[in-house]
Amino acid sequence: MKTKEILVVVTTALGTAVLTVVILGGGSLDAGNGADTPAAKIAKPKFVRQGVEMTLSAKGGATFKPGDQPEFELTAFNPTGKPASVSACVEMTAVSQPALTSRVVPMPATLCQMPESFTVEAGETKVFTIPSKTHLPPNQLIHVWLKDFDAPAKSSVAGTKSAVPTTKLILVQPFNGVMALSFSTATNAAPAASVASAR
Amino acid sequence: MRFRWHKRAGVAIGLAVGLGIVAATSHVRSTKVASGPVLSECDGHFRELVLQYEPSAREVVARTYRDFLGALEADVTVRVVCPTRAAYTSFLETAGPVRCRLLPIVAGHAMTTWSRDRWVALGPATNGGPTTLWSPRGESADEIWPARAGDERIGQDIAAAMYPAVFARRSDYYFDGGDFLADSENVFVVSRVLPRNIQQTVFSREVFLAALGRELRRHVILLDESPDHHAGMFMASVGGKIMLVGDPGLGGQFTPADAAANAGSGTNEFMDLPGGPDFSAETRHRFDAVAAQCAGAGYRVVRIPVVPARDQKTYLTYVNVLMDRQGSRRIVYLPFYRGCERLNAAGRAVWEKLGFEVRPVDCTDTYRHYGCLHCLVNVLERG
């Protein structure tokens, strides 16, 4: 075979092989990249009581920074065929950055609890503005919960290692509620209040 | 039509080569490999373990690593995930002389020193198949904790270094590895996992628990009530349907009288426990609830001393262990804490009475950081 003929074969083979890999291969060849993408999260966490579906958002889509007093919008929709009376609580908690050597985040501190009681007619949607009246601390991870309002508000202290609790600590994660919003007041973090990355 | 057959030959060769490359790498690109059940905590002999070493945590882990690694047999391999090569050199200096085989995995990014919570090992689906590292969807507080953001990548780092023996799979759910406690039959799940996922990643508790069962391939038992901590801090399944569950009441019996008497006032700092020991009725109830639920699930429950602090995160615990089986021998690597000799002896006695050979591991410098031996070490493979 002449040199030129060999070159034609090799060049054609190379080009074909590359095209084949590009077209059929695709994706990453990194063995450990965990390229499978998790399923989409629930866009709007719902808290449901007596059939009434409640969701929470930052009022006006606001973003929050340290020192702000956040306002939230509670939307309650009653898809049932009868009126429903509901009591719910919006609770805001804060977690500080743990020490470098810490295994877990410290216990969150409750910043405020905002109870609401209302009646929603069958098929009706109501929207409430919930002012927190609480200044956001800096450099914290803030979670906003929708939960039952049947437990009295308890004070708690920031769960730092050095803090000696003066009152009884409570389990701040309310298993009878949902995390509706999550955002950070760290200076280098994305400030937009988003649907909860429930951590 | 010059070179026509040459081009055709080239195309044919190119297609063969290209298809061969695609076929050879298809299982590399696909992480949806079949996986077996979650590894049991109490069955089998150690084959491969994983540590994470961050030099800033050297003073926290040095004694623990030296005691644990120094006691491991020569047929055990320990993969040490480090942020840099220099960190691995620091690790070797910290670990001291060992018989086990140490191998580095250089991650190239920030991380913490806590290995247990980063992934759950799912055994091979078939003999000789790969192990799957099932990693959580995301890490808690990574928005404000850069090292924890780095932890999120550890499963992938290990799989990349150990391909094709190990694959990584990202879960749809939020959890810490320490939220699960598995044996050969069941996997216990702490209830704190629910609010991280209900109405976030799934719509209901039932769907979530069913999904966990499918993924972990074990019967899932959700703890209705429990201390707000990782399972390995307050319970340990030791095999033969026996469950050790911490008992603060027992812990109080081996705590100095003044520490126990002042517990609850917040005025004493026994063993640097924030707020002092917590022997309150509410805390004891949470531990008792776990014991009751395990008994209801058919386990023989054995209580063991534990001293939790009032911050609900710092524990002097004797169930945060690693268990190894070598033939008929059952070995437990058991934490001890300098300054708590009576408590240490009481914890050790429980394990010895169950027939375990105890290898003590100094965890005095780690417990103040909310974890112990079991939290620092993850198990990749058992024989």
Side-chain angles (χ1 to χ4, degrees):
Chain A
M1 212 185 219
K2 293 178 184 172
T3 306
K4 195 162 186 181
E5 290 166 343
I6 294 171
L7 204 59
V8 169
V9 171
V10 169
T11 310
T12 309
L14 198 62
T16 306
V18 168
L19 273 172
T20 304
V21 170
V22 166
I23 292 169
L24 296 181
S28 168
L29 292 179
D30 182 354
N33 73 345
D36 47 325
T37 306
K41 286 175 61 176
I42 294 171
K44 215 74 163 130
K46 278 184 200 170
F47 180 65
V48 181
R49 287 293 183 268
Q50 280 82 53
V52 176
E53 299 173 356
M54 286 166 273
T55 58
L56 196 74
S57 58
K59 186 172 167 66
T63 58
F64 304 122
K65 55 186 187 305
D68 285 350
Q69 290 186 301
E71 284 193 330
F72 305 107
E73 222 163 53
L74 173 65
T75 302
F77 167 56
N78 182 359
T80 70
K82 53 184 180 178
S85 293
V86 176
S87 291
C89 183
V90 177
E91 180 173 292
M92 199 160 60
T93 64
V95 171
S96 55
Q97 181 174 343
L100 277 178
T101 50
S102 180
R103 180 192 180 189
V104 295
V105 293
M107 292 292 283
T110 300
L111 296 180
C112 58
Q113 291 180 324
M114 299 151 281
E116 287 288 332
S117 295
F118 49 89
T119 300
V120 191
E121 299 298 326
E124 184 186 15
T125 299
K126 277 190 173 173
V127 181
F128 305 90
T129 294
I130 313 284
S132 67
K133 298 180 183 173
T134 300
H135 293 283
L136 291 175
N139 299 314
Q140 303 270 305
L141 182 60
I142 310 294
H143 293 148
V144 188
W145 300 82
L146 277 170
K147 55 178 285 192
D148 288 323
F149 180 53
D150 50 7
K154 294 178 185 175
S155 61
S156 66
V157 297
T160 58
K161 269 184 53 61
S162 58
V164 174
T166 54
T167 57
K168 192 174 170 187
L169 289 175
I170 61 171
L171 282 179
V172 177
Q173 286 186 340
F175 299 135
N176 61 354
V178 301
M179 187 186 292
L181 293 172
S182 174
F183 55 91
S184 167
T185 57
T187 50
N188 61 346
S194 63
V195 171
S197 55
R199 310 297 172 89
Chain B
M1 294 303 175
R2 198 179 175 199
F3 299 122
R4 189 197 312 182
W5 77 267
H6 302 93
K7 288 177 184 173
R8 285 177 182 173
V11 168
I13 294 169
L15 271 175
V17 170
L19 287 171
I21 293 173
V22 169
T25 57
S26 62
H27 54 285
V28 172
R29 282 174 283 105
S30 167
T31 54
K32 303 280 187 192
V33 294
S35 55
V38 58
L39 249 57
S40 166
E41 300 268 1
C42 52
D43 298 291
H45 173 46
F46 291 150
R47 285 211 195 285
E48 296 222 33
L49 309 176
V50 177
L51 303 179
Q52 289 177 211
Y53 179 74
E54 214 307 307
S56 64
R58 187 173 189 269
E59 297 307 314
V60 175
V61 300
R63 287 182 215 255
T64 304
Y65 280 178
R66 270 186 228 127
D67 284 356
F68 175 63
L69 296 173
L72 287 175
E73 274 72 17
D75 62 349
V76 180
T77 298
V78 179
R79 306 272 176 172
V80 185
V81 186
C82 298
T84 61
R85 190 75 200 191
Y88 182 65
T89 303
S90 167
F91 166 80
L92 292 176
E93 293 163 3
T94 301
V98 300
R99 294 172 295 169
C100 62
R101 185 176 170 222
L102 298 173
L103 293 173
I105 296 177
V106 179
H109 58 75
M111 49 187 270
T112 70
T113 200
W114 303 95
S115 181
R116 171 65 55 171
D117 298 326
R118 311 284 73 85
W119 43 269
V120 172
L122 307 178
T126 55
N127 278 340
T131 295
T132 300
L133 303 188
W134 192 52
S135 298
R137 184 185 187 115
E139 290 279 1
S140 184
D142 59 4
E143 300 94 326
I144 57 169
W145 195 357
R148 192 51 36 104
D151 278 345
E152 200 165 301
R153 299 159 60 179
I154 296 292
Q156 295 159 230
D157 296 331
I158 297 170
M162 295 185 65
Y163 170 80
V166 175
F167 278 73
R169 186 155 78 230
R170 182 74 61 192
S171 171
D172 288 339
Y173 312 113
Y174 294 110
F175 58 84
D176 293 347
D179 290 335
F180 304 111
L181 189 102
D183 56 29
S184 58
E185 188 179 326
N186 299 306
V187 56
F188 291 81
V189 184
V190 294
S191 54
R192 68 208 293 267
V193 180
L194 287 180
R196 295 177 70 181
N197 288 282
I198 306 304
Q199 283 294 319
Q200 312 298 325
T201 59
V202 290
F203 286 101
S204 74
R205 165 193 165 125
E206 292 69 30
V207 169
F208 179 57
L209 295 179
L212 284 185
R214 284 194 302 274
E215 193 67 58
L216 300 174
R217 296 181 187 267
R218 286 284 180 252
H219 176 237
V220 173
I221 299 177
L222 178 73
L223 293 174
D224 299 321
E225 277 187 273
S226 68
D228 186 19
H229 217 323
H230 295 111
M233 296 296 285
F234 55 83
M235 63 192 294
S237 180
V238 306
K241 254 343 217 337
I242 299 172
M243 187 70 72
L244 287 185
V245 179
D247 186 345
L250 280 180
Q253 295 176 22
F254 299 99
T255 310
D258 56 348
N262 291 335
S265 68
T267 58
N268 81 76
E269 291 280 349
F270 168 66
M271 289 293 290
D272 289 337
L273 295 177
D278 182 0
F279 300 133
S280 65
E282 182 180 350
T283 293
R284 290 172 65 164
H285 169 77
R286 289 181 188 152
F287 284 82
D288 291 344
V290 172
Q293 191 168 0
C294 290
Y299 284 77
R300 177 165 80 92
V301 176
V302 175
R303 305 306 296 270
I304 186 167
V306 65
V307 180
R310 295 187 68 235
D311 70 347
Q312 301 189 41
K313 295 297 179 192
T314 311
Y315 285 21
L316 297 171
T317 177
Y318 298 93
V319 293
N320 201 260
V321 305
L322 289 162
M323 286 172 269
D324 187 25
R325 283 192 184 253
Q326 297 176 26
S328 60
R329 289 170 69 202
R330 294 189 299 166
I331 296 161
V332 63
Y333 294 85
L334 178 66
F336 73 88
Y337 313 96
R338 283 170 277 123
C340 296
E341 282 64 38
R342 287 182 63 224
L343 197 59
N344 293 336
R348 180 179 182 134
V350 174
W351 285 97
E352 286 176 335
K353 193 172 177 184
L354 289 170
F356 280 82
E357 172 189 329
V358 173
R359 294 182 179 175
V361 179
D362 190 342
C363 291
T364 313
D365 301 320
T366 72
Y367 78 89
R368 294 178 181 86
H369 303 270
Y370 310 139
C372 265
L373 175 63
H374 182 266
C375 314
L376 288 168
V377 182
N378 216 330
V379 182
L380 192 55
E381 187 185 350
R382 287 178 180 266

